[in-house]
């Protein structure tokens, strides 16, 4: 058993203990250092493995939180899509009645909770199962609204006297996103990073003092320093890792170490050093016209956005999109153009936004069906339907095109058009 698997086993035991002692709680919150919450994220993902023997059901959601009146619908859309697929492939699937409750709510949490409870009640396979909804939005438009949404979910869950459907959340123990949720049970995950590093080195490197062993060790040491906010020590370890990777002609390792170095500089508020030294070096060193190059352009673009350099970020995302298209990484190209379009979601730049969303449609024509399915094309098209406003012809053409790709129920929930 490798060291990470060993930590997952420990986490599984802790999870079982936490669950058994908190049956009344509608929500479970895992807190820890970043590497610890990352491990918890991996543990949740492991629950989807075909080797998992538990009857529990885990639903994982990384969708963006775009507001307290749309997130519940976002979850429901995904569940509905899966239900419809199941109905087409299996016989005698129980009916799923989606009824709106009479009570008025402040958020749309009810749109996700009540249908799931109804599905559980009528579906023989999951009637006796616990259902855990793990939400980890990649972007949060408003943390205050997220907090209201979560609190209302907990209240609805308690009102229903349900004990089998629970919300799951993970976050840093110091930099909290959600304020105290009185209905939730918080538990701390703790990983002995020093022990994990030693075990990893022992497990993966049979030859002592080999270049590869030394490189991996420096990366682990740097990760540990970063988690403890010891930035100078992390920078030193990463520079050593870069040097070792160059000696080994390990280009991917070299780029990875450089990228970690940008994160160390950024965390240490050395933003100019991250941009002028490290990102510039990465883009010079990375193999041109490769998936790794696209990823690094995207990382650089995100860095620029985080530092309020929108115009420069757009240029970099454009470069990433062009490279991705050139090498056939169409989903990545769509994602880059989607980001540029979203950055121009204003009254003054509406035409530019539409133009970039339409670039995504052009790329989609080059993709096979499975690649389209994995891309953000549904989101792009759903946004365009809104932004076309009164242009009925464009809406009709786009709707028909998406139906050809995804069927009648292709739309996803997106933010309403901005006022004005």
């Amino acid at each position: 058993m490798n060291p990470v698997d060993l930590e997952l086993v420990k986490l599984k035991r802790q999870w079982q203990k936490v669950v058994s002692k908190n049956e009344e709680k509608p929500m479970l919150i895992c807190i820890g250092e970043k590497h610890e919450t990352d491990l918890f994220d991996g543990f949740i993902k492991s629950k989807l493995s075909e080797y998992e023997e538990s009857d529990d059901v885990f639903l994982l959601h990384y969708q963006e939180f775009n507001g307290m009146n749309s997130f519940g619908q976002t979850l429901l859309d995904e569940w509905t899509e899966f239900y419809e697929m199941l109905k087409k492939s299996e016989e005698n699937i129980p009916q799923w009645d989606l009824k709106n409750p009479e009570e008025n709510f402040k958020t749309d949490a009810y749109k996700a909770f009540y249908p799931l409870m109804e599905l559980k009640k009528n579906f023989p396979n999951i009637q006796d199962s616990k259902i855990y909804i793990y939400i980890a939005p990649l972007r949060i438009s408003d943390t205050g609204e997220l907090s209201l949404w979560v609190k209302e979910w907990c209240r609805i869950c308690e009102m229903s006297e349900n004990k089998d459907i629970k919300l799951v959340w993970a976050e840093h123990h110091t930099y909290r996103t959600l304020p105290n949720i009185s209905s939730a049970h918080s538990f701390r995950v703790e990983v002995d990073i020093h022990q994990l590093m030693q075990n990893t080195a022992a497990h993966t490197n049979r030859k002592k003092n080999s270049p590869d062993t030394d490189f991996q060790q420096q990366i682990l040491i740097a990760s540990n320093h970063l988690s403890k906010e010891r930035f100078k020590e992390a920078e030193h370890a990463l520079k050593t890792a870069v040097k070792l990777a160059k000696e080994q002609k390990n280009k991917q390792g070299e780029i990875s170490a450089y990228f970690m170095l940008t994160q160390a500089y950024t965390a240490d508020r050395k933003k100019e050093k991250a941009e002028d030294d490290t990102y510039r070096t990465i883009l010079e060193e990375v193999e041109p016209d490769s998936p790794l190059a696209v990823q690094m352009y995207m990382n650089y673009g995100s860095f620029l956005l985080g530092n309020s350099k929108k115009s420069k970020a757009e240029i970099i995302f454009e470069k990433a999109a062009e490279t991705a298209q050139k090498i056939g990484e169409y989903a990545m190209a769509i994602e880059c153009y989607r980001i540029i379009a979203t950055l121009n979601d204003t009254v003054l730049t509406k035409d530019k936004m539409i133009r970039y969303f339409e670039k995504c449609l052009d790329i989609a024509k080059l993709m096979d069906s499975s690649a389209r399915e994995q891309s953000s094309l549904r989101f792009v098209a759903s946004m365009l339907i809104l932004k076309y406003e009164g242009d009925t012809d464009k809406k009709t053409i786009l709707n028909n095109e998406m139906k050809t790709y995804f069927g009648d129920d292709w739309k996803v929930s997106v933010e309403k058009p901005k006022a004005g």
Side-chain angles (χ1 to χ4, degrees), residues 328-332 334 363-364 366-378 405-406:
E329 293 286 347
Y330 297 125
M332 293 173 89
I334 285 179
I363 295 170
L366 306 172
M367 302 168 77
D368 59 40
S369 57
S370 62
R372 269 196 299 264
E373 191 68 45
Q374 297 299 315
S375 74
S376 53
L377 186 63
R378 290 171 189 258
Y405 291 152
F406 304 116

Side-chain angles (χ1 to χ4, degrees), residues 236-265:
H236 177 74
L238 289 167
K239 286 174 182 175
T240 303
V242 167
K243 179 172 171 288
L244 290 166
K246 281 184 175 177
E247 289 172 0
Q248 294 173 248
K249 294 184 171 52
N250 175 4
K251 183 60 72 176
Q252 187 133 357
E254 182 186 343
I255 299 301
S256 299
Y258 269 128
F259 180 57
M260 282 183 71
L261 198 51
T262 66
Q263 296 174 306
Y265 285 145

Side-chain angles (χ1 to χ4, degrees), residues 212-223:
D212 186 56
T213 302
D214 293 342
F215 172 78
Q216 295 292 344
Q217 192 72 19
Q218 293 303 318
I219 293 293
L220 286 166
I221 289 168
S223 298

Side-chain angles (χ1 to χ4, degrees), residues 40-267:
F40 180 75
D41 190 273
F43 162 72
I44 293 289
K45 286 176 184 169
S46 75
K47 289 294 187 179
L48 301 182
S49 164
E50 60 188 57
Y51 304 110
E52 180 64 32
E53 296 176 356
S54 170
D55 292 329
D56 295 344
V57 176
F58 285 78
L59 305 173
L60 277 62
H61 296 284
Y62 296 95
Q63 290 94 332
E64 297 179 353
F65 180 87
N66 288 320
M68 64 185 185
N69 293 311
S70 63
F71 191 58
Q73 185 65 49
T74 300
L75 302 185
L76 179 59
D77 286 345
E78 188 159 321
W79 302 339
T80 304
E81 188 178 326
F82 181 74
Y83 174 80
E84 293 299 329
M85 282 170 51
L86 208 58
K87 206 158 71 166
K88 288 174 186 174
S89 61
E90 296 189 24
E91 296 180 358
N92 303 319
I93 295 296
Q95 189 61 32
W96 187 15
D97 296 319
L98 302 178
K99 298 174 185 173
N100 284 327
E102 295 178 4
E103 184 181 347
N104 290 324
F105 295 100
K106 293 178 182 176
T107 76
D108 79 338
Y110 71 91
K111 286 188 178 179
F113 181 80
Y114 286 117
L116 193 57
M117 192 166 72
E118 188 69 20
L119 192 66
K120 183 180 185 307
K121 187 170 70 179
N122 295 329
F123 231 98
N125 291 352
I126 59 172
Q127 277 175 359
D128 299 321
S129 299
K130 306 275 187 191
I131 299 179
Y132 299 97
I133 305 103
Y134 176 65
I135 57 171
L138 298 175
R139 187 184 72 85
I140 299 170
S141 62
D142 188 311
T143 53
E145 288 199 7
L146 174 62
S147 177
L148 286 173
W149 193 95
V150 165
K151 285 177 178 176
E152 189 154 81
W153 170 286
C154 291
R155 185 173 71 82
I156 293 169
C157 190
E158 288 171 331
M159 279 169 33
S160 72
E161 298 185 345
N162 161 77
K163 295 178 184 176
D164 292 335
I165 300 176
K166 297 186 190 298
L167 211 56
V168 181
W169 178 261
E171 66 178 349
H172 195 279
H173 66 106
T174 305
Y175 310 109
R176 304 290 290 270
T177 302
L178 293 176
N180 182 49
I181 309 288
S182 57
S183 299
H185 171 74
S186 296
F187 63 99
R188 176 70 196 263
V189 167
E190 293 189 22
V191 176
D192 186 336
I193 191 70
H194 297 290
Q195 188 64 47
L196 179 60
M197 284 165 55
Q198 289 171 11
N199 291 346
T200 302
H203 180 83
T204 58
N205 303 300
R206 302 304 177 195
K207 295 179 183 177
K208 290 187 177 181
N209 302 321
S210 73
D212 186 56
T213 302
D214 293 342
F215 172 78
Q216 295 292 344
Q217 192 72 19
Q218 293 303 318
I219 293 293
L220 286 166
I221 289 168
S223 298
N224 183 40
H225 286 315
L226 281 175
S227 72
K228 299 287 191 285
E229 299 184 1
R230 296 194 293 259
F231 303 120
K232 285 183 181 176
E233 293 88 341
E235 289 164 21
H236 177 74
L238 289 167
K239 286 174 182 175
T240 303
V242 167
K243 179 172 171 288
L244 290 166
K246 281 184 175 177
E247 289 172 0
Q248 294 173 248
K249 294 184 171 52
N250 175 4
K251 183 60 72 176
Q252 187 133 357
E254 182 186 343
I255 299 301
S256 299
Y258 269 128
F259 180 57
M260 282 183 71
L261 198 51
T262 66
Q263 296 174 306
Y265 285 145
T266 304

Side-chain angles (χ1 to χ4, degrees), residues 334 338 357 360-361 376-385:
I334 285 179
R338 181 194 73 79
F357 275 144
C360 299
L361 301 183
S376 53
L377 186 63
R378 290 171 189 258
F379 173 87
V380 167
S382 299
M383 284 293 286
L384 268 175
I385 288 285

Side-chain angles (χ1 to χ4, degrees), residues 300-318:
Y300 183 32
S302 299
F303 168 84
L304 292 168
L305 284 180
N307 290 285
S308 304
K309 296 185 178 182
K310 179 185 165 186
S311 299
K312 194 169 182 180
E314 284 189 29
I315 294 169
I316 295 299
F317 278 115
E318 182 100 48

